[in-house]
Each structure stands twice: as C-alpha cells, then as structure tokens.
Amino acid sequence: SCQWGYDSDNGPEHWHKYYPIAKGENQSPIEINSKEVQHDPSLPPWFVGYDPGAAKTILNNGRTCRVVFDDTFDRSVLRGGPLPGTFRLRQFHFHWGSSDDHGSEHIVDGVKYAAELHMVHWNPKYSNFAEALKQADGVAVVGVFLKVGKTPKPEMKRILEEIDNIKTKGKEAPFSNFDPSILFPKSRDYWTYHGSFTTPPCEECITWILLREPIEVSPDQMAKLRSLSINAETEPVCPMVDNWRPPQPRHFRMVRASFQ
Ligand SMILES: CC[C@H](CNC(=O)c1ccc(S(N)(=O)=O)cc1)c1ccc2[nH]ccc2c1
Ligand SMILES: [Zn+2]
C-alpha cells in the first residue's frame, strides 16, 4: 500500500498518485489573505461542549501526535458558527516545523506559525466517521495556530508530559480526563471555508473553522513536540518534524470572517 509521508519521495507532491483528489479544487490548507476575506456579519458564534471523560488515549501514528476521544454518542460536541447542527469531537492532533519560524499548514497574510492544532469533528447525521468523510458536510475541523513566545502554555503541559511515553510510531498511552477547550485562545474570532483533509486521502469533506488568535507556547514546549520520532522503536531514529502540507490553490472559494 502507499506509505505516504512528508519526505521528498513520499511527500505532498506525490500524494495525488494514490489520491487523485489531492489535485482537486477544494484542497487544504490554503493561504488566508485578509484583503480577499469576506466579513460575514450573519456568521453566528461557535460553541463547544466537551466532556473531559470522553478523552481516551494519546498516540504516535508515525505522522503526528493524536489524542482520541469516545465519539460513540454526542458526548463532546461543536456547534454553531457555519455548521448545520452539532458535530462530534473525534480527535485532535498537531502539525509543526523543524524550527520555530514555520510549521503551520494554513498561512495568514504571509505568516507561518510554528505549529497548528486541529480538532476534528464529524457530523453524526452520518452513521460513522468513514461515511461522514465521503460527504461535503461530513467533517468540521477547528484550527488553532501556535506561536512561540516567552511564556509556556500551561494547558499544553499534560499533552507534552505524555510525549515521553509515545516517542516512536505505534506507541499509545492512556489519556483521560482532558477537556481540549482549555487550549483555545481568548477570542472566538474565526475564518471559515470549505476544504479537505490536509493529509491523504485528502477528501473534500471539511468545513474549516480557523481561529484568528494564536495561542502562545514556549520554545521548550515546541522542542518537546519535535522530540517525537516517526520511526518504530526498532528502527533508526527519524525526528517527527515538518509534518505539514503546503498551501493549495484556493480556486473559486470564498473565505469568510466572523469579524470585521
Ligand atoms: C480518511 C482518513 C482517516 C484518517 N485520517 C483522519 O482522520 C484525518 C483527520 C483530520 C485531518 S486534518 N489534518 O485535515 O485535520 C487529516 C486526517 C481515516 C482512514 C481510514 C478510516 N477507516 C475508518 C475511519 C477512517 C478514517
Ligand atoms: Zn491536521
């Protein structure tokens, strides 16, 4: 099977060979250019109701660090904003660079952030996630930019403490009693547009909700994330860094802003 990745021989330029939709017209990420964004005053605020008890495990899948939630019923949900109804939280994960000056997937007015957090939700009007990802309104991802500053983000502490237990591909550890909404910035301002998974199979099923305000993390916290490896325990060490897809053509898509 195709082992896609982020290297020169299996990276974003190759993905279309196994996943032709990767050259589609609704791909993510994109560059957000404030001058071309349309302020939509009718966009409502978004809300989350996350149950900390829904958190299950944290895992290294060889491409990112992912925290997985129980999504067998409406336990942790996202609603409002551009969304039709409530969406169930399934997992969150990160994308980051090999240094603090890049690593995010979306780029805002030319600014690349050090990392980007994705909180993945799916529309329970479909029977399961695998079905939802075949629908244009099947998935909603809240994206949060991570900026490097002097002050560490205390709410990241628990995630980063677990890193030592999931250093290599396939490692998983229990991760319970965690409400990921503590990771959000103060402002609820967002951009929204229709796009895709930023990794294969690149399905165009995602309503993106990108928060304007980044959260701040410390250089040490970023270094902790970069201490993950993509290799399995028995293989040579290969750092998990630069697991981001570059911006894709926006084509005829409108990016709306909830703020002026
Ligand atoms: C379809 C791929 C999926 C695994 N991947 C994801 O869930 C995923 C989620 C979000 C993003 S991002 N970076 O855009 O936020 C990228 C990938 C996946 C693959 C096989 C599956 N079989 C059953 C369910 C299922 C899900
Ligand atoms: Zn992602």
Side-chain angles (χ1 to χ4, degrees):
S1 79
C2 153
Q3 276 315 307
W4 65 269
Y6 295 93
D7 293 330
S8 53
D9 60 352
N10 66 4
E13 304 319 313
H14 295 271
W15 294 353
H16 69 94
K17 286 179 263 180
Y18 281 84
Y19 307 95
I21 190 95
K23 285 188 178 291
E25 306 215 329
N26 300 285
Q27 290 292 294
S28 295
I30 58 172
E31 294 202 51
I32 305 285
N33 185 332
S34 298
K35 287 191 296 299
E36 293 161 354
V37 162
Q38 174 114 27
H39 166 57
D40 180 345
S42 76
L43 270 175
W46 53 277
F47 299 96
V48 293
Y50 289 158
D51 170 0
K56 291 195 308 190
T57 59
I58 185 169
L59 81 108
N60 173 337
N61 66 6
R63 292 162 180 144
T64 186
C65 158
R66 177 187 282 182
V67 173
V68 176
F69 292 79
D70 165 29
D71 61 353
T72 56
F73 63 102
D74 276 3
R75 197 171 176 188
S76 292
V77 295
L78 165 72
R79 59 183 171 79
L83 302 174
T86 63
F87 281 60
R88 272 184 206 162
L89 175 67
R90 178 178 176 86
Q91 52 109 325
F92 70 77
H93 62 271
F94 300 86
H95 303 264
W96 61 90
S98 45
S99 58
D100 293 348
D101 60 352
H102 71 282
S104 63
E105 299 206 295
H106 291 88
I107 296 176
V108 181
D109 295 332
V111 175
K112 294 180 180 179
Y113 289 98
E116 191 170 323
L117 159 62
H118 289 156
M119 296 202 186
V120 184
H121 311 72
W122 57 281
N123 191 336
K125 86 184 207 190
Y126 302 114
S127 42
N128 55 44
F129 185 68
E131 277 310 305
L133 58 87
K134 296 174 194 157
Q135 319 295 332
D137 64 349
V139 180
V141 179
V142 177
V144 183
F145 295 113
L146 276 68
K147 175 178 175 180
V148 176
K150 290 187 190 52
T151 40
K153 178 89 175 166
E155 295 78 2
M156 283 288 292
K157 221 163 144 324
R158 265 204 63 196
I159 298 165
L160 298 172
E161 279 165 355
E162 277 309 319
I163 298 280
D164 290 334
N165 301 324
I166 57 162
K167 279 281 189 225
T168 49
K169 179 176 179 176
K171 288 249 169 189
E172 192 167 15
F175 197 81
S176 57
N177 209 7
F178 186 77
D179 169 0
S181 66
I182 63 173
L183 297 170
F184 290 143
K186 282 187 303 301
S187 170
R188 288 294 192 254
D189 288 348
Y190 64 91
W191 294 284
T192 183
Y193 77 97
H194 185 255
S196 73
F197 286 127
T198 65
T199 66
C202 300
E203 298 287 353
E204 299 181 337
C205 60
I206 299 189
T207 300
W208 280 93
I209 296 174
L210 292 171
L211 304 192
R212 168 169 68 156
E213 182 185 342
I215 59 173
E216 252 197 54
V217 296
S218 69
D220 287 357
Q221 289 184 310
M222 276 313 305
K224 192 72 188 173
L225 214 41
R226 294 192 195 104
S227 71
L228 284 164
S229 296
I230 65 170
N231 55 282
E233 203 167 7
T234 53
E235 295 164 349
V237 177
C238 183
M240 185 185 282
V241 292
D242 290 326
N243 54 359
W244 49 274
R245 186 189 194 185
Q248 301 302 304
R250 181 160 59 88
H251 290 296
F252 305 101
R253 289 178 283 175
M254 167 73 68
V255 178
R256 291 181 291 160
S258 69
F259 58 95
Q260 194 75 19

